[in-house]
Amino acid sequence: MTGDARPTAFVTGAAGFIGSELVKLLVARGHQVFGLARCSEAAERVRRAGAVPVMGDLLEPGQWQDEAATDWVFHLPPNRMRWPRATWRRTRSIARARVSMDAHLLDAVAASATRRIVYVADTSVYGATGPRPITEDRPPRPSARGRRLMPALDRVDGYVIAGMPIVTAFPGWVYGNGSWFRERIIDPVMAGRRVLQFGKTGRWVSPIHVEDCVRALVHLAEHGEAGGRYFLVNSDPIRMREFAGTFARLANRPLRVWLMPAAVTRLVVDPVLAEYIQADAVFSNIRLRGIGFRFQYPTLEQGLQHVIGALHE
């Protein structure tokens, strides 16, 4: 790809919330980073993060595939929360698209000297967990959302069996100054608007600060076992409502809530999404910690203090 002697990395989803933070970390560690971008706006975000933009679309084969053969490959396929209302046709279409995107990337690097591929998957393939954390060894029991993604994950297992050096990461609820957390928590709290909450108590979830998430992804590239699966989450699960409550308290702002009863949620939200946002999703990080990873922000309180500090800056 280049005569530069620095280690190289290729990142899909490089313009996104997690992807852009990952690019910044890799660049800071001395990697030459190439980031896939679908449009000029995404390319500019990739460039600002410090990577070389590579124009292309995971859904379409093209010259971008030649740039993917790097030392490390980080695959963050798109996983939009705002899907249209579920139909079997749309479900099959989403499943086919994910399989196609993965194949375009993984087939392109299959014969290369890539040392590690970190594949970022979705915890919804494990389904509702209950309030006690599960490990990666529990067989998946996918929710309706997860069933859209299972065919792709099954194909990834096939690539692993074929000998590709893939490590699969399952981030929990990734928060920070951006993406869903900016839109649904930071902006309404700081503006005095209501924060939408589902149900009286909210479900149990496993959070992780975005900076810890990207550090964990790089740690997996260095120390993760090929063929292994790893949950990227803090040690302490929280109620979903704690995101807004803790942020408002630390920001010294009043918390105003728009409570949507659980019985109403399915009437106003896509049933697939309603099932996902109401079910407990609690995961153990014992395997991640077992390969030496340590958190900068091990609790939600510490992580949100950092977020608020960044807002003041």
Side-chain angles (χ1 to χ4, degrees):
M1 292 178 56
T2 174
D4 197 316
R6 291 181 294 165
T8 55
F10 185 82
V11 180
T12 69
F17 176 47
I18 299 175
S20 60
E21 291 297 325
L22 175 59
V23 167
K24 293 175 186 176
L25 177 61
L26 289 168
V27 170
R29 290 169 58 101
H31 287 258
Q32 184 178 24
V33 184
F34 299 84
L36 188 64
R38 293 182 59 189
C39 62
S40 58
E41 292 82 5
E44 181 57 30
R45 291 196 294 272
V46 170
R47 189 177 292 109
R48 287 200 302 267
V52 177
V54 175
M55 301 305 298
D57 189 330
L58 283 168
L59 284 170
E60 300 291 340
Q63 292 185 349
W64 67 266
Q65 292 170 302
D66 298 331
E67 306 297 328
T70 52
D71 298 316
W72 288 349
V73 172
F74 295 88
H75 184 31
L76 288 77
N79 191 14
R80 299 178 179 86
M81 288 287 291
R82 293 175 178 172
W83 289 337
R85 294 192 69 83
T87 66
W88 283 111
R89 177 176 296 180
R90 286 177 179 146
T91 296
R92 289 193 296 268
S93 176
I94 291 169
R96 287 194 300 268
R98 176 60 67 87
V99 169
S100 179
M101 287 188 288
D102 292 352
H104 288 150
L105 175 67
L106 298 177
D107 289 347
V109 301
S112 72
T114 294
R115 301 200 306 266
R116 185 66 83 234
I117 302 162
V118 179
Y119 182 98
V120 179
D122 193 294
T123 56
S124 63
V125 300
Y126 282 88
T129 66
R132 298 179 63 84
I134 66 167
T135 70
E136 297 86 346
D137 293 328
R138 197 194 83 169
R141 300 169 185 169
S143 63
R145 173 187 167 97
R147 286 193 292 273
R148 294 174 166 181
L149 307 175
M150 275 303 298
L153 196 60
D154 290 340
R155 288 288 298 272
V156 170
D157 288 341
Y159 284 103
V160 170
I161 293 172
M164 291 189 69
I166 299 174
V167 178
T168 306
F170 292 85
W173 277 82
V174 183
Y175 67 93
N177 186 15
S179 189
W180 73 274
F181 194 78
R182 179 88 204 191
E183 177 183 346
R184 300 184 184 183
I185 305 295
I186 296 176
D187 288 346
V189 168
M190 299 303 287
R193 301 195 306 269
R194 294 184 183 275
V195 175
L196 178 62
Q197 292 187 2
F198 298 94
K200 291 183 178 180
T201 59
R203 64 175 181 146
W204 287 98
V205 297
S206 292
I208 185 169
H209 190 286
V210 65
E211 292 186 13
D212 275 338
C213 181
V214 299
R215 287 178 56 249
L217 293 175
V218 174
H219 193 82
L220 291 182
E222 294 176 320
H223 305 290
E225 179 183 358
R229 292 183 175 184
Y230 297 84
F231 291 138
L232 311 187
V233 297
N234 287 351
S235 297
D236 298 327
I238 64 167
R239 290 282 193 182
M240 193 68 184
R241 64 183 180 183
E242 292 182 52
F243 278 119
T246 305
F247 177 81
R249 174 172 56 80
L250 293 175
N252 197 27
R253 296 297 179 97
L255 177 62
R256 305 178 66 216
V257 174
W258 177 25
L259 180 63
M260 182 175 292
V264 178
T265 302
R266 288 181 175 272
L267 301 178
V268 297
V269 178
D270 181 337
V272 171
L273 185 56
E275 177 190 23
Y276 176 71
I277 62 180
Q278 290 180 311
D280 293 328
V282 183
F283 308 96
S284 168
N285 62 17
I286 189 170
R287 183 173 292 176
L288 178 64
R289 290 186 289 110
I291 58 171
F293 183 76
R294 296 296 178 264
F295 292 87
Q296 284 187 337
Y297 309 105
T299 68
L300 180 66
E301 181 111 359
Q302 290 170 303
L304 291 182
Q305 286 174 342
H306 176 267
V307 172
I308 291 172
L311 291 178
H312 292 327
E313 291 175 3

